[in-house]
Amino acid sequence: MQLKIAKRSSSAKGKGATDEPSPSPRVLFTVDVPDDASVDDLKKAINRKSKSLYPDRQRLTVGEAKMVLEKDAGLTKYSIGDGDVVYLKDLGPQISWRTVFYIEYLGPMVFHYLIYNFPVIFYRHAFEHSEIQRRVYMLVMGHFLKRELETGFVHRFSHGTMPLFNVFKNSFHYHILSGLNLAYWVYGPSSAEGTVLAAKLGNPTLMAIFTGIFLFAELSNLSTHITLRNLRPPGTRVRRIPFGYGFDMVSCPNYLFETIAWASITLMTRSMAAVLFLVVSTAQMYAWAIKKHKQYKREFPDYPKSRKAMIPFIA
């Protein structure tokens, strides 16, 4: 069958013009696909017509309701037949989510490494790091190394790509707040070896407690990521209800344990930079958790009603 690939008109109906007919679609070209073609087949056909429009760059919709054509569906699901119009939106240059994660987590590692190891460049004089600074450096670097390894060997992504320019917005949160800002204030001379603050923060008992909490949270976070990985067979976008450690109480225990890990760093350093990152990151993760929680409840009628989104028994 032959389909018309068109671009939606950008002109909107003005007030009082609701009875006017919709503008005719601006047809870009036509493509031929089998009657039993899938959305993937259609995207490949469009890509053959325009080499720059690779499948991940395309957003296809039909009808005035702008129904999005899902990647794995057949065209028959949307009652698309010969001569019908399919609307194409160019999403712009794309970058894989895996690459985005690598970039997001690499930035803080670079900032922490440079600021910790080259204090003369950032603070204008040399000094010896205190035990609390050495401990935080190891924990933070370990955290982001764990995230890099999870990106490569654990995570399975439901969406292949995102717009390239969004990577700068996504990376700001990590590179600046947990990278540059946190490293600069935590590794500075105010809490260096021999200072009053270093002696106060370096209490061995408190350091051991906070380190234990951090490691517990990190291992728990890894456990939940493995649970989520095992729900989705490789190369699919299958979604199932997660059960097991952490998931019996909340929909997103990975966010809960991530919050606990950064709370331990905040209590260990008592730095306002750590407080700022904790508040911003927790607020962002809570927003994500609420969205995922609602999606689970909408998608699965038998979803456990006792679960909260992120904070056990509360929200």
Side-chain angles (χ1 to χ4, degrees):
M1 61 179 171
Q2 187 176 82
L3 300 176
K4 299 174 184 177
I5 307 302
K7 181 178 180 181
R8 290 188 184 274
S9 172
S10 58
S11 61
K13 295 177 183 180
K15 185 176 180 180
T18 55
D19 295 332
E20 293 182 7
S22 300
S24 299
R26 182 158 68 87
V27 177
L28 304 174
F29 48 79
T30 61
V31 295
D32 294 304
V33 294
D35 292 343
D36 60 349
S38 66
V39 174
D40 285 342
D41 294 330
L42 176 56
K43 287 188 173 185
K44 290 175 183 176
I46 292 172
N47 186 213
R48 286 193 291 270
K49 285 280 188 175
S50 177
K51 297 301 182 184
S52 65
L53 290 171
Y54 46 88
D56 285 328
R57 188 167 174 162
Q58 302 173 30
R59 183 173 185 267
L60 304 179
T61 59
V62 291
E64 292 300 316
K66 300 182 180 180
M67 181 180 294
V68 177
L69 306 190
E70 296 294 337
K71 180 180 179 181
D72 301 321
L75 296 181
T76 53
K77 174 182 177 179
Y78 305 99
S79 302
I80 296 174
D82 185 54
D84 284 347
V85 175
V86 176
Y87 293 95
L88 166 68
K89 180 177 181 180
D90 181 2
L91 298 175
Q94 300 288 297
I95 184 173
S96 75
W97 270 102
R98 196 176 303 278
T99 302
V100 171
F101 274 37
Y102 280 134
I103 294 171
E104 286 179 350
Y105 304 138
L106 179 61
M109 294 181 72
V110 171
F111 279 120
H112 280 265
Y113 176 82
L114 292 176
I115 294 174
Y116 181 87
N117 288 287
F118 302 98
V120 175
I121 296 176
F122 297 94
Y123 306 107
R124 303 302 183 189
H125 64 91
F127 53 87
E128 182 182 354
H129 287 301
S130 63
E131 180 60 29
I132 188 68
Q133 290 175 323
R134 289 190 289 271
R135 180 68 59 86
V136 171
Y137 178 70
M138 288 189 294
L139 295 180
V140 171
M141 291 294 279
H143 168 81
F144 286 111
L145 177 60
K146 164 185 167 289
R147 298 310 300 268
E148 292 282 22
L149 292 174
E150 286 177 335
T151 299
F153 301 104
V154 176
H155 291 319
R156 288 175 179 158
F157 299 91
S158 58
H159 297 285
T161 65
M162 65 176 285
L164 174 62
F165 297 107
N166 282 5
V167 72
F168 302 105
K169 177 182 67 176
N170 285 36
S171 296
F172 176 86
H173 170 77
Y174 293 100
H175 290 199
I176 303 303
L177 296 185
S178 67
L180 176 62
N181 191 54
L182 181 63
Y184 182 83
W185 294 108
V186 168
Y187 305 138
S190 62
S191 55
E193 187 66 34
T195 63
V196 174
L197 182 57
K200 184 178 181 180
L201 297 177
N203 181 295
T205 301
L206 289 179
M207 285 181 60
I209 291 173
F210 294 140
T211 300
I213 293 173
F214 179 88
L215 294 176
F216 157 76
E218 289 288 293
L219 291 174
S220 297
N221 177 266
L222 172 61
S223 174
T224 61
H225 285 161
I226 292 173
T227 298
L228 292 171
R229 168 193 168 86
N230 292 337
L231 289 176
R232 177 173 295 145
T236 71
R237 301 175 67 185
V238 171
R239 287 173 55 82
R240 300 190 181 101
I241 300 176
F243 291 97
Y245 179 65
F247 289 97
D248 293 333
M249 294 188 295
V250 295
S251 294
C252 300
N254 49 327
Y255 297 153
L256 170 64
F257 292 127
E258 179 99 356
T259 298
I260 293 173
W262 284 109
S264 69
I265 294 293
T266 301
L267 292 170
M268 191 181 296
T269 62
R270 303 181 202 178
S271 166
M272 288 307 299
V275 171
L276 174 63
F277 178 66
L278 177 64
V279 170
V280 172
S281 61
T282 301
Q284 180 62 77
M285 287 188 286
Y286 180 71
W288 289 337
I290 291 294
K291 183 178 179 180
K292 290 186 177 183
H293 185 64
K294 290 180 178 179
Q295 187 174 0
Y296 277 135
K297 290 168 61 176
R298 183 170 59 249
E299 189 172 352
F300 302 106
D302 58 339
Y303 193 73
K305 299 186 184 303
S306 61
R307 282 189 197 178
K308 298 300 182 181
M310 176 175 154
I311 305 172
F313 312 114
I314 300 177

